Amino acid sequence: MPAKPSGASSRRSRSTGAATASGGPPLSLERIIATAVELLDTQGVDGLSMRRLADRLGAGAMSLYWHVGNKEEVFDLALDAVLAYGPPEAETHGWRASVVHMLEDWRGAMLRHPWSAALLPRRALGPSMLGRLELLSQTLLRAGVADADLNVAIWSVWNYVMGATITRGSFDRSPDDLEAAQRRLTELGERYPSIDRSRLLLDSDWDGAFKKGLDLLLDGLTPKR
Amino acid sequence: MPAKPSGASSRRSRSTGAATASGGPPLSLERIIATAVELLDTQGVDGLSMRRLADRLGAGAMSLYWHVGNKEEVFDLALDAVLAYGPPEAETHGWRASVVHMLEDWRGAMLRHPWSAALLPRRALGPSMLGRLELLSQTLLRAGVADADLNVAIWSVWNYVMGATITRGSFDRSPDDLEAAQRRLTELGERYPSIDRSRLLLDSDWDGAFKKGLDLLLDGLTPKR
DNA sequence: ACCTGAACACCGTTCAAGT
DNA sequence: ACCTGAACACCGTTCAAGT
């Protein structure tokens, strides 16, 4: 069994490269991950199979296993790629702005790649999320959160973003679907009068609610001045 | 194609029943769901296959499809079974106690069946969750929440419970695993000094944090008297 | 009414082999 | 160093058939 790079080193293949059977560009970790993300975005989690991924890359079905240990690693790498964070170019003023920026960017990334939110809790934390956690941690300390309260504060924020985004994503089906669901609720009639009446499934300002709740949460977690 | 019950009617097979090939009790929706939950609890989401489920029931591989449309329906039914809610026998005093009771019961159910939290956002809302939402809705109204604020309040609570439980469940690996993860963090050294120092992955009082955060949230959502 | 096996179109992964 | 096909042990589901 030859030594495999197994995902760590992704040196680009130098020279012209014999390339793949169908004449496409040669395989590389970057290309594999980029195509995996593409496939996940368009076909969903169940749409990603090693065989389909290889096919899309113009490669033989088993070629991927040279670059990658197994399918789980593909998920980990795609997830980490999608969650990468480069802090804003412009100087943000104040700890609050930088926390909010990071969290909204995180949420945005998960909504742009709807498979990611559901996947994130099931995988180990990759560098992208560790980086975000580190930034969050440092910024909260800078904001005056006591050492003893730090972990609770971090997890509260984390939970808030995860809960809001997962829910929002799951109700982000087509308007027709939502209408149908709400109609089903109405048919069930007397069984669920209150949530039927409030049109719970339809009238929800997700973005506004997110911002508002986040403000409340940060107020609560942070020492009052 | 004969008319199938397709999950709605679950009338029990009367008479002794020819039973299954291996002589076990006859199939029924109840038995199928109960065994599915068992399998999910012991083997996880990936451990549930239609073939394995049938096998465990002492039935031929394809017998399930008489009782159930497809695998997704098995998930829906197992999820709904696990999330059923019977309000407490004893009279609870006050809206707050009854909200807290329902939410902690919900959280408890998801933690007892670790596959359920991750699955819930991906499936349509079943009767069990609709019932809980209805109860929550009515109770919040009783607590004085204005009609216009109701949906935001409901989703805030929902998001809170989901976020907290999914995260908690995902970090509920063996202590050894957690130690290893935290050690890996330490090795990465200067990269994540703050979360390494706070032992973020290890020192987390999940249950305490949940209760505290829920109290804060309910205070914030409910009109101050 | 309920259960069944054969068959189809897929999977992930190992392995020995090619260049 | 990198890519490949054959093969293995699985999947979910359809269908025609059994009782």
Side-chain angles (χ1 to χ4, degrees), chain A residues 53-75:
Chain A
L53 179 54
D55 212 64
R56 190 107 147 194
L57 285 158
M62 298 300 102
S63 310
L64 302 181
Y65 285 90
W66 175 262
H67 303 267
V68 132
N70 50 32
K71 191 185 179 180
E72 306 234 301
E73 200 179 318
V74 176
F75 276 128

Side-chain angles (χ1 to χ4, degrees), chain A residues 148-159:
Chain A
D149 300 332
L150 183 60
N151 285 355
V152 173
I154 291 176
W155 287 127
S156 297
V157 172
W158 171 286
N159 291 345

Side-chain angles (χ1 to χ4, degrees), chain B:
Chain B
M1 193 197 297
K4 293 212 250 164
S6 138
S9 76
S10 58
R11 71 269 94 102
R12 47 181 48 259
S13 35
R14 68 263 104 86
S15 85
T16 56
T20 56
S22 62
L27 283 178
S28 70
L29 243 203
E30 289 94 343
R31 240 167 62 73
I32 290 173
I33 298 170
T35 308
V37 170
E38 216 177 284
L39 208 47
L40 285 164
D41 286 347
T42 57
Q43 320 273 351
V45 207
D46 296 335
L48 178 67
S49 80
M50 294 299 272
R51 289 164 129 110
R52 211 156 1 167
L53 179 54
D55 212 64
R56 190 107 147 196
L57 285 158
M62 298 301 102
S63 311
L64 302 181
Y65 285 90
W66 176 261
H67 302 268
V68 131
N70 51 34
K71 191 185 179 179
E72 305 235 302
E73 201 179 316
V74 176
F75 276 128
D76 285 340
L77 293 169
L79 198 57
D80 198 69
V82 143
L83 294 175
Y85 184 54
E89 332 70 24
E91 280 290 324
T92 53
H93 8 19
W95 65 268
R96 185 136 182 162
S98 90
V99 165
V100 169
H101 183 277
M102 188 276 278
L103 296 176
E104 287 192 327
D105 173 274
W106 175 22
R107 181 175 123 98
M110 291 195 287
L111 290 177
R112 269 196 309 281
H113 306 280
W115 47 275
S116 62
L119 214 57
L120 181 52
R122 315 199 60 208
R123 317 288 325 152
L125 292 174
S128 292
M129 286 319 298
L130 286 175
R132 284 179 192 262
L133 279 173
E134 175 68 20
L135 177 65
L136 179 61
S137 175
Q138 285 178 13
T139 314
L140 287 179
L141 285 175
R142 185 148 57 90
V145 173
D147 270 25
D149 301 332
L150 183 59
N151 286 354
V152 173
I154 292 176
W155 287 126
S156 297
V157 172
W158 171 285
N159 291 345
Y160 180 78
V161 175
M162 284 303 297
T165 310
I166 286 188
T167 302
R168 155 74 200 257
S170 75
F171 282 96
D172 210 8
R173 322 179 203 273
S174 75
D176 286 0
D177 284 3
L178 281 182
E179 278 286 0
Q182 184 78 44
R183 209 157 40 234
R184 203 167 53 87
L185 223 66
T186 307
E187 277 161 28
L188 258 42
E190 305 75 73
R191 203 111 120 216
Y192 310 111
S194 188
I195 53 178
D196 175 33
R197 196 168 138 277
S198 74
R199 295 171 56 82
L200 180 62
L201 266 36
L202 292 175
D203 294 342
S204 299
D205 172 19
W206 299 108
D207 296 344
F210 178 77
K211 262 196 147 81
K212 193 167 119 189
L214 182 55
D215 270 339
L216 284 174
L217 183 61
L218 290 177
D219 285 342
L221 292 172
T222 268
K224 323 106 193 57
R225 32 184 177 128

